Amino acid sequence: MPRSYLSKSSAIVITTMVLLTAAVAIGQSKAQRQAQNYDKAARATLLHDANVYVASDADSQKVSLVTPGHEVVVIERSAPWVKVFANTDINDDANEDDHNKPEFSEDANVTPASGWIRDKGVVGPNTPDGDAILYGSAAEFEDQASRPHAPKGAAGSAHLLYKRVAEYFPDSPLAPEAAWRSADIRWQVDRIDISTLPSAKEQEAYLRPQLYEGEMKKVMKNYPGSKFAALAAYDLIDNKLCGDWQGLPKCPEMETGLYQKYAQQYPDSPKAAEALYNAVYRQGVLVTMYNVQEDRKRADAAAQRTQALAQDLKQRYPKTDFAARGQSIAFRVAQGIPIFGSDRD
């Protein structure tokens, strides 16, 4: 086969591939622009489960379901119905990799769909007192999620509804706490889920799945210097902790530094006293571990550090339970009572 024919054929193939790639890129770009150009005023969420119908008729075919906190884009209103493009945020969630997706998501198989919903419980950026309404609904779901035999999806609904408060009403006084609560719910649920994995017992943090930090870091970025930024920073410590100490001093020594540094960096944080107590406890544990290893020098140094940290905790946060608990740890260490393992003589 002539060389010139091969060159011509290759050129045709390459040109076709370029055109196809460009067409796909144009299509994606158009979809992205449409998503980005949604009128903010048209965005809304629901406070309850709502069926999406093909027509503004309850006897028509159901095409989708919108659960509390998920978004719709309002296209038109025809009382008592609203035409919407429903679950517009599902694709955004799907773009996250499996590690980053909220473990409590109940809508993994739901796809965006256009249709009609009842004009009930629809809250958007222009809803009077919408920030309080969304916040209150989120708090109710959060309370339900904390109870035994919690309703399925309650935690996920609370997470999303708090998130909408911060998104729809960024200037609301409720926005900082709502953003924090949204991030914290996801963090705590994912932490429980990861704790059930065999890798959760690994000593090194990098040997287990890491909790998704994106939402916590967003809180710190959007509300710097606030107590909610400090609370987010405290949660982030979880990703650095050992899964299991395995009776070795390496972990409690490292973790003491993490908590002591936090207390120094965020002295006014609601978690500062707890962080300092965690440092006291870990130094007390080290006394026990070093005594088991018959390393008297290190045991004495840990005992001295326990007393110093407990005294610092007492002086800085005297009215907290953590100050009293720190004093208890220091007393037991001074009495030679083991803090880790069995304390029977």
Side-chain angles (χ1 to χ4, degrees):
M1 187 176 291
R3 181 184 179 90
S4 60
Y5 180 81
L6 284 172
S7 176
K8 183 178 179 180
S9 176
S10 298
I12 293 172
V13 170
I14 292 172
T15 301
T16 302
M17 291 178 64
V18 169
L19 290 172
L20 287 172
T21 302
V24 171
I26 291 171
Q28 291 176 337
S29 177
K30 182 178 180 181
Q32 290 170 351
R33 286 197 302 271
Q34 288 176 337
Q36 293 169 355
N37 291 335
Y38 281 141
D39 183 358
K40 181 180 178 182
R43 294 172 60 192
T45 190
L46 298 182
L47 305 181
H48 63 110
D49 291 341
N51 290 315
V52 181
Y53 296 90
V54 170
S56 55
D57 183 348
D59 293 328
S60 63
Q61 181 183 354
K62 298 175 185 177
V63 295
S64 186
L65 175 72
V66 184
T67 54
H70 278 300
E71 284 201 309
V72 299
V73 174
V74 177
I75 300 172
E76 65 176 281
R77 294 180 182 272
S78 179
W81 295 88
V82 180
K83 188 175 184 180
V84 299
F85 189 49
N87 293 316
T88 58
D89 54 337
I90 294 294
N91 281 344
D92 292 337
D93 291 342
N95 288 334
E96 297 182 12
D97 59 43
D98 289 340
H99 166 66
N100 288 342
K101 286 181 66 176
E103 295 297 332
F104 47 74
S105 174
E106 301 292 344
D107 302 294
N109 296 320
V110 178
T111 55
S114 177
W116 294 83
I117 61 173
R118 299 272 191 184
D119 192 1
K120 294 180 179 180
V122 181
V123 180
N126 292 331
T127 302
D129 298 321
D131 55 341
I133 293 168
L134 290 175
Y135 189 96
S137 297
E140 179 62 30
F141 278 113
E142 184 178 15
D143 179 65
Q144 292 177 16
S146 68
R147 300 174 188 173
H149 311 295
K152 183 179 180 180
S157 294
H159 161 73
L160 288 174
L161 286 167
Y162 278 132
K163 183 178 180 181
R164 302 306 171 209
V165 175
E167 289 179 345
Y168 295 173
F169 305 95
D171 297 326
S172 168
L174 296 173
E177 184 164 1
W180 147 249
R181 287 196 178 196
S182 176
D184 187 59
I185 289 171
R186 174 174 181 169
W187 187 271
Q188 301 306 332
V189 173
D190 283 356
R191 185 174 69 169
I192 292 172
D193 184 77
I194 288 176
S195 71
T196 63
L197 302 176
S199 59
K201 299 299 182 182
E202 294 289 349
Q203 187 182 55
E204 301 291 350
Y206 67 82
L207 294 177
R208 65 174 186 270
Q210 291 286 284
L211 293 160
Y212 175 58
E213 298 183 345
E215 293 186 11
M216 288 295 178
K217 290 183 176 179
K218 188 174 181 180
V219 172
M220 296 177 68
K221 178 181 178 181
N222 291 343
Y223 310 103
S226 69
K227 73 173 184 178
F228 304 109
L231 289 170
Y234 186 82
D235 272 352
L236 290 175
I237 295 174
D238 287 342
N239 266 344
K240 300 176 182 179
L241 301 178
C242 294
D244 191 316
W245 291 342
Q246 299 176 6
L248 301 175
K250 172 184 175 182
C251 284
E253 188 67 73
M254 179 270 293
E255 292 175 4
T256 296
L258 290 176
Y259 285 117
Q260 192 173 8
K261 180 179 179 181
Y262 177 87
Q264 292 171 349
Q265 188 172 356
Y266 300 96
D268 298 324
S269 167
K271 291 289 187 178
E274 182 177 348
L276 205 48
Y277 166 77
N278 284 333
V280 173
Y281 172 73
R282 281 158 176 75
Q283 284 301 302
V285 167
L286 283 170
V287 175
T288 304
M289 289 182 172
Y290 285 132
N291 280 330
V292 169
Q293 295 180 353
E294 298 183 352
D295 189 336
R296 189 64 186 175
K297 182 178 179 180
R298 285 192 171 90
D300 289 344
Q304 292 175 10
R305 195 175 178 189
T306 301
Q307 299 299 328
L309 287 170
Q311 187 62 27
D312 186 28
L313 175 57
K314 179 182 177 181
Q315 290 177 350
R316 293 169 62 183
Y317 310 103
K319 296 182 179 180
T320 65
D321 288 351
F322 293 110
R325 291 171 65 183
Q327 289 300 109
S328 176
I329 294 290
F331 178 80
R332 283 187 282 166
V333 167
Q335 293 287 306
I337 300 173
I339 303 302
F340 184 70
S342 175
D343 61 358
R344 293 183 182 179
D345 285 334

